[in-house]
Amino acid sequence: MVSPEAKKLAEERAARMQAALDLKEPDRVPFTGLGGDVIPAYAGITSYEYEFDFEKNRQAAVKWFTDFPSDSAPRVGLGGLDNQSMGVAFQDYPEIVSGVNSVNGPMNDVLKMKFVRFPGRELDENSARQFIGGKNMEPEEYDQLIADPVKFCFEVIMPRISGGLKDLGSPASLATMARFGLEKARQDAEMAKTMQALMELGYYFAPRGVCLAPLDLISDQLRDIPNLILDLRRYPDKVKAAAEALVEPMVKMGTMSIKAGAKECFIPLHLNEYLSPKQYNEFYWPTLKEVILKLVEAGMKVQVFFEGWHDAHLETILELPAGWGTAYFEKTDVRKAKKLLQGHTCIMGGIDVSDIISLTPAQLDENIKKLFDEMAPGGGFIFSPNIGTCPRETPIENVRAVYEAVEKYGKY
Amino acid sequence: MREELLRSFVDMDEQEAVRIARELVETEGGAVAVLDTCKEAMEEVGRLFEAGEYFLSELIAAGDMFNQIMEFTLPKLQGEEVASLGTMVLGTVQGDVHNIGKDIFKVMAEASGINVIDIGIDVPHEKFVEAIKEHKPELVGMCCLITLGVDSMKRTIEVIKEAGLRDDIKIIIGGGRVSQAVMEHVGADAWADDAARGVRLSKELLGKE
Ligand code: B12
């Protein structure tokens, strides 16, 4: 049972995050917490156990989130790998999308995706899961993608990337989908237990949508990055038309969880760092901006993860309406972003995971103090590691130093 | 023709650059001229990248042009003396499968005259040791894009030490997860998270600049 104290704690945490999103000063600087492979290591289990066994996964999460409290809705459950082209294929069936969009270990035992590898399967028990990516589409196929992205993802791409569905309509493919349904039901029930366990600790959960920038769907899932970069010069018009054709599917993916109560949509960016401002503004930003604006129109806040260096494109964020959401930065300095975006965009990030691994506790303490001195005033700031995953070897004394510094210096 | 090749290459005019290179390579001493010009062009592209005028997109396009042109130029260079600044064994460390950055760095290092032995991605520690024994490089380059790779680099360097090979080589690390702190943590000699700087530092480590 969720005690009144736990409920109150959860409300405080949610309010802290919400205040930052609303560009206000909360009671303390909200902190998303650290996570990743360090969670199973801390619990003394292998990455394989953590990624395949719900019971062990749950115990590890409970231990971590008890010892290291944080403010955002915790990311728990089995970790998955991106599979959004298959999400597009099933975009009219939300209950399927939530299972195929990101594929975890046991689900991959069913779907047999070609471009992923998991610990204890293809990899050593303590390796991190791997998305290997690759080229799944030829340049001659752009016209098909443009004409009907959903049909193309279903009929052409899915059989290429899923071993279980390589022969659509065959008994093997029907059996795969039936097994998928059973596995999905089992996982939903397990997830409900995990969420319950964390709510008892004072955490809250909020469903959120996920989608990609249209051009990223093409480069991550269909053509691969180097090929897409060359396509921009070789077939510029086709690339542009394909990105436009994907706006609607991406909006649909992003908004489909509104019915379940989602108020936010997450969009991680990949190609941004590769492109010159000219290419960004011609090929990438127009369709991404359209997706963001439509999500905002639908009543959502958007969290965009600007992976890599986003410095060259920073000013384009100001083209969005104030209060649109959160800019989460990986390498771009959050201080620099704040100068430009204060009062317009909530800023998230602030500590490099490489530093958490390689600096001393005293250095981390000092860095966080300085960071908060500059970033906290005025609000609209969420403290977070620059990437979501700390490796197994992350020194726990450094993890402690980070949480203690947040406690010490985070008060408004 | 060399000047035109240089211009079209640096301006990213793929069709024109490849066309001129094909023509030039058939002339007397043409293969050497193509090689030298393309190296010069890559260097210029690297400079523009460091200056913030070019982006990764241009590095990838330039690397692709360079490879396309070398495919028909290198066979014609057999027997010619091609000076090498030294040898580097290069790989993405165990647990990490990212290769785009490594491949960009590789083409630029090769274009600068370093002989690069690419041992791939997700490279086990021992494979670095074997490659060092086999190729006797002056330099070892490690690429790492994920945090898990940081300890992987550290472990690889320890294994190289245990094999008694550390003093024979200089180690440079690159990729998205590296920094001064990471370099010190893993015990490397230099670090670069951009290819042009990486090539410059590699040359310095080779005592060539
Ligand atoms: C493209 C990409 C991928 C592609 C990789 C395609 C490929 N074949 O390489 C795919 C989709 C396959 C992929 C997979 C994964 N990725 Co990835 N990926 C990226 C992304 C978007 C760009 C990386 C990149 O190519 N950058 C551009 C290159 C050119 O930069 P670079 O490597 O730094 O190289 C430059 C310099 O460093 C230098 N250089 C490179 N090598 C060397 C070597 C030497 C010796 C020197 C001197 C210089 C040098 O030259 C280059 C040019 O200047 C980044 C985010 C980002 N923007 O950084 C995430 C990112 C690296 N990926 C990440 C993750 C988590 C993954 C996955 C684990 C997926 C997952 N969610 O589970 C898997 C990886 C599995 C594994 N174990 O490795 C995380 C890493 C987080 C972490 N734990 O540290 C990142 C940071 C995304 C994020 N913000 O969360 N990814």
Side-chain angles (χ1 to χ4, degrees), chain A residues 80-82 128-134 220 225-226 269-274 305 307-309 330-331 353 386-390, chain B residues 49 56 59-60 88 90 95-105 140-148 172-178 191-199 202:
Chain A
L81 293 164
D82 237 10
R129 62 182 179 276
Q130 298 181 349
F131 179 87
I132 319 168
D220 281 4
I225 291 181
L269 308 191
H270 286 162
L271 270 178
N272 54 326
E273 165 177 61
Y274 288 84
F305 187 9
E307 293 189 16
W309 291 106
E330 184 194 335
K331 291 189 194 145
V353 172
N386 68 333
I387 45 184
T389 54
C390 293
Chain B
F49 177 72
L56 288 169
L59 292 189
I60 290 176
M88 170 186 277
L90 175 69
D96 191 342
V97 301
H98 294 82
N99 72 338
I100 301 173
K102 169 181 73 62
D103 290 353
I104 293 176
F105 172 73
V140 171
M142 294 179 192
C143 175
C144 153
L145 270 282
I146 61 175
T147 46
L148 149 108
I172 179 165
I173 58 174
R177 290 285 81 69
V178 306
W191 70 278
D193 62 0
D194 95 53
R197 203 174 96 96
V199 170
S202 299

Side-chain angles (χ1 to χ4, degrees), chain A residues 75-357:
Chain A
R75 287 197 289 159
V76 290
L78 312 185
L81 293 164
D82 237 10
N83 189 30
Q84 294 234 4
S85 63
M86 202 158 148
V88 170
F90 284 107
Q91 67 162 6
D92 293 324
Y93 306 91
E95 68 282 13
I96 306 256
V97 171
S98 65
V100 297
N101 225 8
S102 162
V103 177
N104 61 34
M107 202 55 105
N108 191 50
D109 288 346
V110 176
L111 295 173
K112 303 189 173 61
M113 304 308 299
K114 292 230 175 79
F115 302 101
V116 300
R117 298 195 285 204
F118 283 91
R121 290 285 185 267
E122 300 82 357
L123 301 169
D124 176 84
E125 289 199 324
N126 279 324
S127 288
R129 62 182 179 276
Q130 298 181 349
F131 179 87
I132 319 168
K135 181 182 73 165
N136 302 312
M137 168 189 158
E138 298 303 323
E140 298 72 41
E141 292 172 320
Y142 269 115
D143 287 334
Q144 269 174 278
L145 169 64
I146 295 163
D148 191 341
V150 178
K151 187 167 178 236
F152 181 70
C153 285
F154 181 80
E155 285 181 6
V156 183
I157 299 300
M158 203 169 72
R160 288 182 189 163
I161 59 176
S162 164
L165 299 170
K166 64 172 184 267
D167 194 3
L168 288 183
S170 67
S173 75
L174 297 178
T176 295
M177 284 319 284
R179 285 198 201 110
F180 168 86
L182 292 172
E183 178 59 20
K184 178 80 170 54
R186 182 185 79 91
Q187 294 204 3
D188 286 351
E190 290 284 359
M191 264 317 277
K193 277 199 245 170
T194 300
M195 283 156 66
Q196 175 68 23
L198 276 126
M199 286 192 289
E200 285 166 16
L201 295 175
Y203 290 92
Y204 64 97
F205 287 90
R208 69 175 187 172
V210 186
C211 66
L212 296 176
L215 207 62
D216 277 332
L217 186 101
I218 305 173
S219 72
D220 281 4
Q221 304 261 308
L222 304 178
R223 289 287 289 144
D224 101 3
I225 291 181
N227 282 318
L228 184 98
I229 296 283
L230 300 175
D231 290 351
L232 292 179
R233 295 174 195 281
R234 292 176 186 162
Y235 323 101
D237 297 335
K238 300 232 186 253
V239 177
K240 240 182 261 176
E244 279 158 18
L246 281 162
V247 167
E248 215 178 297
M250 287 298 106
V251 172
K252 198 156 181 179
M253 302 281 281
T255 51
M256 87 179 28
S257 51
I258 289 181
K259 275 204 198 100
K263 296 197 171 67
E264 190 178 60
C265 180
F266 177 63
I267 311 182
L269 308 191
H270 286 162
L271 270 178
N272 54 326
E273 165 177 61
Y274 288 84
L275 305 180
S276 67
K278 184 168 173 293
Q279 288 175 320
Y280 186 83
N281 291 323
E282 184 176 350
F283 293 100
Y284 192 87
W285 178 236
T287 47
L288 170 61
K289 183 173 160 184
E290 201 179 334
V291 170
I292 297 174
L293 291 176
K294 291 205 161 133
L295 294 170
V296 171
E297 241 168 65
M300 299 182 106
K301 293 250 187 198
V302 183
Q303 182 182 107
V304 177
F305 187 9
F306 295 97
E307 293 189 16
W309 291 106
H310 196 69
D311 297 46
H313 320 302
L314 215 46
E315 303 216 339
T316 55
I317 298 173
L318 288 170
E319 293 170 26
L320 298 170
W324 65 278
T326 306
Y328 174 19
F329 292 105
E330 184 194 335
K331 291 189 194 145
T332 294
D333 186 352
V334 289
R335 297 169 174 88
K336 177 173 170 185
K338 175 174 166 157
K339 287 203 183 85
L340 185 74
L341 301 171
Q342 174 111 50
H344 176 278
T345 295
C346 173
I347 293 173
M348 178 163 139
I351 187 161
D352 192 327
V353 172
S354 294
D355 284 349
I356 301 177
I357 302 170

Side-chain angles (χ1 to χ4, degrees), chain B residues 15-191:
Chain B
Q15 280 178 356
E16 194 57 9
V18 173
R19 187 191 63 75
I20 301 171
R22 272 192 199 286
E23 227 177 279
L24 183 56
V25 87
E26 298 302 334
T27 62
E28 175 76 31
V32 175
V34 170
L35 178 69
D36 287 348
T37 311
C38 289
K39 282 180 168 180
E40 201 182 326
M42 284 299 283
E43 215 171 290
E44 179 61 18
V45 170
R47 256 197 301 275
L48 290 166
F49 177 72
E50 272 199 292
E53 283 178 47
Y54 273 5
F55 288 76
L56 288 169
S57 151
E58 279 84 12
L59 292 189
I60 290 176
D64 185 72
M65 260 191 288
F66 188 80
N67 286 336
Q68 278 186 58
I69 294 174
M70 287 309 121
E71 213 175 285
F72 58 79
T73 305
L74 291 182
K76 295 209 159 33
L77 278 170
Q78 270 159 18
E80 300 270 357
E81 270 297 306
V82 181
S84 162
L85 299 179
T87 298
M88 170 186 277
V89 162
L90 175 69
T92 300
V93 294
Q94 184 161 8
D96 191 342
V97 301
H98 294 82
N99 72 338
I100 301 173
K102 169 181 73 62
D103 290 353
I104 293 176
F105 172 73
K106 176 185 166 185
V107 185
M108 295 189 59
E110 281 176 335
S112 83
I114 297 172
N115 170 30
V116 181
I117 315 276
D118 185 351
I119 55 173
I121 56 173
D122 200 354
V123 175
H125 317 309
E126 299 73 27
K127 196 165 156 194
F128 271 99
V129 171
E130 283 161 26
I132 295 170
K133 285 188 183 150
E134 186 184 338
H135 300 286
K136 312 222 167 2
E138 291 86 358
L139 280 179
V140 171
M142 294 179 192
C143 175
C144 153
L145 270 282
I146 61 175
T147 46
L148 149 108
V150 173
D151 272 274
S152 201
M153 288 192 291
K154 189 168 189 221
R155 187 72 201 119
T156 305
I157 295 177
E158 279 164 12
V159 172
I160 292 173
K161 256 191 211 145
E162 284 158 18
L165 298 167
R166 181 66 181 91
D167 297 337
D168 306 340
I169 51 165
K170 294 273 192 247
I171 298 177
I172 179 165
I173 58 174
R177 290 285 81 69
V178 306
S179 63
Q180 182 70 24
V182 167
M183 181 193 92
E184 288 165 16
H185 177 73
V186 305
D189 300 307
W191 70 278

